Amino acid sequence: MTRLRVAFAGPHITFQDAGRLGMMRFGVPASGPMDRKAFAIAQSVFSNPPEAAAIEISLGGLALDCIEGSVTFAVVGGGFIVQIGARRLGAWQVHTLHQGERLVIRPGPWGCWTYLVFAGHLITPQWLGSSATHGQSGLGGGTLVSGQEVMVQDARTFPAVEGAIPCPIWARPRPLIHAVLGPQDRFFSSESLDDLATQPFYLTNSYDRMGLRLRGPSLTPVGALSIPSEPILRGSVQVAGDGLATVMLADHGTTGGYPKIATVVSDDLDGFVQLRPNDAVRFKLVSPAQAVAIARAGDRALRAYLTRAC
Amino acid sequence: MTLYRPIADHAVLVEFGTAISDTAHAQVLALDQALAANPCKGFREATPAFVNLLVDFDPVQTDHAEVEAHLRRLSDQPLTPRTPATWDVPVCYENAPDLAEVARRTGLSTEAVIAAHLGGDYRVFLYGFAPGYAYMGGLPEPLKLDRKATPVRGVPAGQIIIAGAMCLITTLVMPTGWWIIGRTPTRVLTGDDARPFLFDVGDHIHFHRVSEAQFAARFEPLP
């Protein structure tokens, strides 16, 4: 057993696995990683099973002291800074942490989320068979707090795999994202639909695991404020009465009565969440068939990367 | 008319109407049931709501057209929803923070508010907002109120809350702008992995009144 103690944890730093699927009908979104591709790459470094947990690190940063044992770890996602003691490294690398050393992960030149995985079994609480943390309730693995101990069972060290992991171009922030209109685009004027397709929008600081509010042209819905509540997905672009768009993310509410003007293609969400507040983003509208083609191309690229890397 | 709306790369929203009705919801439940018994290729999950059913699929295995064709085939067969369960839920109305205000706003006595609430025929239309928040339709007309102007923070689990035509039982400490008219020892979020959520969408709920002492005797604090 390798024991780590949280010396410092910023907000929104949680345990996550691949997600808690199939519970939307009970009001429970999948949660899981904000950047699912970076998470998958991180787990593949040690051939961890899909249900394995990782620590998702936000711009708040995390410091861990190794108080017993040693373990090889990988940090994947975003352009974060990784420090072991005085050694300054980057994300997208594999290293080994030894007893008495402090690991610090903090924001670097780009990105909002990174994943810390261990060669070993990260022990976390579970809820409904998953350690994915549902942010608002704290159910699942939970949010990391200063002073807390983190245990890695069957921790191993792999000097042979230490070093850099290639960061593929598609893991970078994505300022142009594909979206399919609907399911309630009929409640918006042609001007609003045109603005969505042509104007830049900007990320705001209203950004957490539930969703990300955008600043940009007002997309005021026309006579749609009393539609019956209906299901929401990760990627739904929901517009409230004030005309501001919110892109729903990992911990989204499962139903809601605000109209959704469009829905972001899933393949673009990983790169979208690596944009930072005040970054510009543009929507490129595509047909459902084109969206499926994008999903399949993204899946092929991820599989090809994982096959090559392992 | 049934509409099939494609969403992004991975879902179809099947819509049976635009306004809340028993007919539309019965169709939602019937298709949900048929799909559970006979899932399409690449099926991930279905989420029932008031007038529509969201069907989520893996776009690597299938696409909107195939899923829609499957759903149309299911709809062409007679759809018979399962017989819903009925649950008896005890409610203690003593010391409820908003009972007096609900009485004032509805022009009823508190006893009449309680009688009206107990007289409702409730059914779970959908879950939403937070884990285990089951939206129950069937609140009697005289109790329909707009929600509060400002939500109250930190409302605990097990509260009976009402707004509009809906009633629900809170499951977590969350903010709410709904009116708190009672408490129940019944846990919708059961903590039992074999049946983590007490109600299925479509189930019926009957409330019955218990005293403070009976509530205390049956109340089991959350672990």
Side-chain angles (χ1 to χ4, degrees):
Chain A
M1 185 79 77
T2 292
R3 286 167 60 219
L4 310 164
R5 184 179 293 131
V6 179
F8 170 81
H12 307 304
I13 297 181
T14 54
F15 292 107
Q16 298 292 342
D17 63 14
R20 183 180 290 104
L21 301 176
M23 295 286 172
M24 281 262 292
R25 63 172 52 243
F26 296 114
V28 182
S31 297
M34 291 286 276
D35 183 340
R36 292 176 283 197
K37 288 178 199 156
F39 174 89
I41 293 171
Q43 295 293 12
S44 75
V45 171
F46 304 116
S47 302
N48 286 341
E51 68 276 13
I55 298 174
E56 181 180 81
I57 298 161
S58 69
L59 291 174
L62 176 73
L64 290 174
D65 288 327
C66 184
I67 52 178
E68 185 187 323
S70 47
V71 63
T72 300
F73 67 92
V75 178
V76 176
F80 279 65
I81 293 164
V82 178
Q83 275 180 267
I84 303 173
R87 271 192 300 161
R88 189 178 152 139
L89 314 154
W92 300 89
Q93 294 199 31
V94 180
H95 292 283
T96 299
L97 189 66
H98 299 284
Q99 186 171 332
E101 289 180 324
R102 171 171 288 188
L103 170 65
V104 177
I105 301 170
R106 57 193 171 86
W110 63 274
C112 282
W113 307 95
T114 197
Y115 296 88
L116 170 62
V117 298
F118 297 101
H121 174 61
L122 181 59
I123 297 176
T124 67
Q126 296 219 327
W127 180 51
L128 304 178
S130 163
S131 53
T133 304
H134 177 258
Q136 300 94 290
S137 66
L139 291 167
T143 301
L144 277 78
V145 293
S146 299
Q148 174 180 357
E149 282 199 8
V150 174
M151 307 283 197
V152 184
Q153 200 173 35
D154 302 324
R156 291 157 292 160
T157 54
F158 281 121
V161 298
E162 288 185 23
I165 302 165
C167 172
I169 186 81
W170 40 258
R172 307 273 310 176
R174 206 168 279 196
L176 180 73
I177 57 176
H178 300 88
V180 176
L181 277 183
Q184 286 101 31
D185 50 305
R186 63 193 180 280
F187 292 124
F188 295 86
S189 66
S190 57
E191 288 78 17
S192 286
L193 297 179
D194 197 48
D195 282 345
L196 180 73
T198 59
Q199 298 299 307
F201 289 79
Y202 297 89
L203 281 74
T204 68
N205 285 312
S206 291
Y207 180 10
D208 60 19
R209 286 181 42 87
M210 270 184 87
L212 199 168
R213 185 165 264 234
L214 297 175
R215 179 162 48 81
S218 178
L219 304 170
T220 315
V222 185
L225 289 175
S226 59
I227 61 170
S229 274
E230 57 178 60
I232 295 174
L233 287 164
R234 187 193 280 224
S236 293
V237 184
Q238 177 176 286
V239 182
D242 56 11
L244 292 179
T246 297
V247 181
M248 308 307 285
L249 297 171
D251 287 345
H252 63 87
T254 56
T255 56
Y258 291 117
K260 275 73 75 182
I261 189 169
T263 311
V264 178
V265 170
S266 50
D267 186 65
D268 284 336
L269 286 172
D270 309 290
F272 174 66
V273 301
Q274 294 293 6
L275 294 168
R276 285 183 174 173
N278 297 317
D279 282 352
V281 64
R282 284 178 183 271
F283 292 96
K284 183 174 166 58
L285 298 181
V286 295
S287 69
Q290 287 171 312
V292 168
I294 292 166
R296 290 176 181 176
D299 181 69
R300 277 195 300 275
L302 178 61
R303 279 172 201 279
Y305 176 95
L306 294 177
T307 313
R308 189 185 58 201
C310 291
Chain B
M1 192 182 69
T2 307
L3 288 174
Y4 298 81
R5 300 187 189 278
I7 302 182
D9 51 314
H10 59 98
V12 172
L13 186 68
V14 189
E15 196 168 286
F16 295 101
T18 52
I20 297 172
S21 73
D22 286 347
T23 316
H25 197 248
Q27 288 176 287
V28 169
L29 293 186
L31 183 60
D32 182 37
Q33 179 81 2
L35 185 60
N38 187 0
C40 59
K41 187 169 66 178
F43 174 73
R44 288 200 292 219
E45 67 180 301
T47 309
F50 288 112
V51 297
N52 42 36
L53 181 73
L54 182 83
V55 181
D56 191 68
F57 61 83
D58 176 2
V60 173
Q61 296 185 54
T62 185
D63 61 22
H64 302 89
E66 277 188 349
V67 171
E68 180 181 327
H70 181 88
L71 295 169
R72 284 182 185 277
R73 277 195 300 276
L74 291 179
S75 301
D76 286 342
Q77 293 150 22
L79 298 173
T80 41
R82 71 185 174 89
T83 310
T86 298
W87 302 89
D88 246 337
V89 172
V91 186
C92 170
Y93 294 95
E94 291 162 44
N95 301 311
D98 296 329
L99 195 57
E101 183 61 16
V102 168
R104 195 183 68 78
R105 287 180 182 242
T106 55
L108 301 170
S109 66
T110 54
E111 277 305 316
V113 170
I114 293 167
H117 184 250
L118 288 169
D121 175 21
Y122 300 93
R123 191 150 55 83
V124 176
F125 276 90
L126 57 82
Y127 279 87
F129 182 65
Y133 274 55
Y135 285 68
M136 297 180 262
L139 188 72
E141 191 69 34
L143 297 185
K144 285 184 188 173
L145 291 174
D146 287 338
R147 66 190 67 185
K148 297 172 188 172
T150 314
V152 176
R153 300 182 73 85
V155 173
Q159 306 298 300
I160 305 289
I161 61 177
I162 60 169
M166 296 285 146
C167 175
L168 68 76
I169 303 170
T170 62
T171 61
L172 298 165
V173 180
M174 293 290 278
T176 184
W178 292 28
W179 305 93
I180 305 166
I181 62 162
R183 285 169 291 163
T184 178
T186 298
R187 293 287 176 239
V188 182
L189 213 57
T190 62
D192 171 9
D193 273 358
R195 191 183 175 83
F197 302 91
L198 189 61
F199 308 139
D200 282 319
V201 174
D203 283 358
H204 287 264
I205 283 89
H206 292 150
F207 292 111
H208 68 271
R209 188 174 186 171
V210 295
S211 68
E212 182 88 52
Q214 287 168 314
F215 173 84
R218 293 186 56 177
F219 181 75
E220 288 169 37
L222 291 170

